[in-house]
Amino acid sequence: MKTIDELIADGVAGKRVFVRADLNVPLDGTTITDDGRIRAVAPTIAKLAAAGARVIVASHLGRPKGSPDPAFSLAPAAKRLGEILEAEVAFATDTVGESARATVEALADGKVAVIENLRFNAGETAKDDAERGAFADELASLADLYVGDGFGAVHRKHASVFDLPARLPHAAGDLIATEVGVLKKLTEDVKRPYVVVLGGAKVSDKLGVIDHLLEKADRILVGGGMAYTFLKAQGHEVGISLLQEDQIPVVLEYLERAENKGVEFVLPVDVLVSADFPDLKTKAPANPATVAADAIPADQEGLDIGPRTRELYAAKLADAATVFWNGPMGVFEHPDYAGGTAAVAQGLLDSSAFTVVGGGDSAAAVRILGFDENAFGHISTGGGASLEYLEGKTLPGLAALED
Ligand SMILES: Nc1ncnc2c1ncn2[C@@H]1O[C@H](COP(=O)(O)OP(=O)(O)OP(=O)(O)O)[C@@H](O)[C@H]1O
Ligand SMILES: O=C(O)[C@H](O)COP(=O)(O)O
């Protein structure tokens, strides 16, 4: 992969450089609740601008349905980017339409513009190669050069991630270079014990990584919404908790394989439950009950790991030399269910391990709960992307940047 420094050495002054970033930040209305992804890509943008490039920043946000939807506008992210860069950042209210063309046309050397959410155009995520290609052609006409730096989206075969770099001279940004450098270490010379903590809500997305981790990790701790499919597979009642019933045979096979391979698989021993999902807007007290993991009432939902599990997981992290953590242990957005995630974050910090936190939500949780992000070895901006990298899959957005 060509580096951004090599691209700059070839000369970018006066050139229109398209930077595919991942500005998919969590929003509460138009308020950004965690700006980590914007801060992570800002140095690449600043470097290009300092070299005199006309920088066009593009990203998706959320999952709009292929047409404009104000709830998913990138305007708040563009504003925040301007604050971080301490520079004026222009904003185009469309992606390849009149506003984008006029905004790019008006860009002076060393200046930055953000174009509107790429997913407002159906071509961005189209399965059909020709439809994606047609959109990539339109994007290509805006720019002279391409820099891929949206690590969080490199696992998506989308027009701006996969098809566009084939149409323009391209390089990898500094964020992608850093992310790949760190994750590569976890697939190669990992220091042991290597402990993996998995949680979150995207259960089916994450089961595949366990398949791979069974060959690599010494210990796997499972929490969050993932845990209930495992508990159910062990024959326990999980009430109305998040459950991926069709994956039970897969999960059983994982548990069996772990035992044969001597990989320690650790599941919650107690959980916090309630009959209702908490109100994340008002954050009204949820008054959860603590129950044993094998005694979840039929009408209740598990929403965080319990106090005994927190102690157990902290103990299982204490002697780790390497930790990879993806996915919160509970619905951390509500204070009554943030304790499990906070306990695991603290467990990482209390160990002397090299710690990698992967996942948009896990990374946001660490910061929202008040931990110092610099105390962790590496906080990845990629959730699905970091998992698929560890699975050893070919990631479209990385393959496309190779020469
Ligand atoms: N027991 C649970 N029941 C339901 N939802 C849960 C539970 N535990 C955690 N969650 C939710 O999981 C969500 C995060 O899951 P996700 O799988 O998206 O995490 P991530 O890997 O950190 O992020 P991403 O893949 O989006 O970058 C949070 O919004 C949290 O509220
Ligand atoms: O949040 C993420 O993991 C990335 O921004 C990718 O978003 P997506 O899962 O909607 O493609």
Side-chain angles (χ1 to χ4, degrees):
M1 275 187 217
K2 189 170 194 164
T3 66
I4 188 176
D5 293 328
E6 287 165 343
L7 190 83
I8 289 172
D10 290 348
V12 296
K15 299 259 175 70
R16 299 166 302 165
V17 183
F18 188 103
V19 178
R20 197 342 175 156
D22 182 357
L23 307 180
N24 185 20
V25 287
L27 286 173
D28 182 0
T30 56
T31 305
I32 296 169
T33 53
D34 180 64
D35 65 1
R37 280 180 163 164
I38 308 177
R39 284 187 289 114
V41 76
T44 290
I45 296 165
K47 207 185 233 188
L48 286 164
R54 304 174 181 193
V55 190
I56 306 157
V57 183
S59 173
H60 69 287
L61 187 138
R63 293 179 175 175
K65 303 266 174 278
S67 57
D69 179 341
F72 295 103
S73 174
L74 271 175
K79 183 166 172 277
R80 184 75 193 107
L81 177 64
E83 289 161 5
I84 293 166
L85 294 174
E86 296 180 1
E88 193 191 322
V89 168
F91 182 67
T93 54
D94 58 28
T95 312
V96 286
E98 258 174 50
S99 174
R101 291 192 184 283
T103 305
V104 171
E105 185 81 6
L107 261 183
D109 294 0
K111 295 292 179 194
V112 178
V114 175
I115 59 173
E116 188 51 289
N117 194 338
L118 292 157
R119 292 187 185 171
F120 285 180
N121 298 67
E124 170 67 0
T125 57
K127 292 260 181 299
D128 179 61
D129 290 351
E131 195 184 344
R132 265 197 344 269
F135 182 53
D137 285 340
E138 288 190 83
L139 291 172
S141 71
L142 290 176
D144 305 302
L145 302 169
Y146 176 94
V147 170
D149 216 18
F151 179 73
V154 290
H155 58 317
R156 302 295 182 214
K157 194 178 175 185
H158 292 168
S160 65
V161 178
F162 179 71
D163 305 87
L164 183 55
R167 287 162 167 77
L168 294 171
H170 50 258
D174 287 341
L175 176 62
I176 281 192
T178 305
E179 294 270 16
V180 169
V182 171
L183 292 172
K184 205 167 180 197
K185 274 198 220 157
L186 297 189
T187 60
E188 290 169 357
D189 56 347
V190 63
K191 296 209 169 34
R192 300 185 176 282
Y194 176 23
V195 182
V196 175
V197 190
L198 291 175
K202 295 178 190 163
V203 179
S204 49
D205 280 13
K206 297 185 184 182
L207 284 175
V209 79
I210 296 180
D211 194 42
H212 168 85
L213 288 170
L214 284 170
E215 308 297 323
K216 287 272 171 200
D218 299 299
R219 200 176 287 153
I220 302 176
L221 319 180
V222 178
M226 287 202 98
Y228 303 96
T229 302
F230 283 87
L231 292 170
K232 182 83 178 180
Q234 290 186 325
H236 304 308
E237 170 67 69
V238 297
I240 52 169
S241 307
L242 211 64
L243 176 65
Q244 189 98 34
E245 195 118 37
D246 59 329
Q247 296 295 324
I248 286 175
V250 178
V251 158
L252 279 172
E253 195 267 324
Y254 289 162
L255 290 170
E256 195 184 308
R257 191 139 48 100
E259 196 165 335
N260 293 339
K261 286 190 167 294
V263 176
E264 195 183 353
F265 226 100
V266 193
L267 293 173
V269 291
D270 60 350
V271 291
L272 301 192
V273 296
S274 169
D276 303 301
F277 196 84
D279 188 330
L280 302 182
K281 275 218 168 326
T282 64
K283 309 232 186 321
N287 304 315
T290 303
V291 299
D294 59 1
I296 301 174
D299 63 342
Q300 308 263 311
E301 180 174 11
L303 294 159
D304 196 10
I305 55 173
R308 282 197 301 127
T309 308
R310 294 173 199 179
E311 268 180 44
L312 174 69
Y313 285 14
K316 297 286 180 191
L317 286 164
D319 67 343
T322 308
V323 181
F324 175 74
W325 172 27
N326 174 282
M329 293 292 99
V331 183
F332 73 93
E333 296 90 338
H334 190 286
D336 288 351
Y337 300 112
T341 301
V344 162
Q346 192 59 51
L348 260 66
L349 295 182
D350 290 344
S351 77
S352 52
F354 174 62
T355 54
V356 179
V357 182
D361 278 297
S362 333
V366 159
R367 291 186 282 256
I368 289 167
L369 298 178
F371 289 91
D372 173 9
E373 61 184 331
N374 298 315
F376 296 87
H378 178 69
I379 298 196
S380 174
T381 54
S386 60
L387 290 176
E388 289 196 22
Y389 186 93
L390 292 185
E391 273 181 67
K393 286 191 181 163
T394 300
L395 304 183
L398 295 183
L401 293 178
E402 273 160 25
D403 292 320

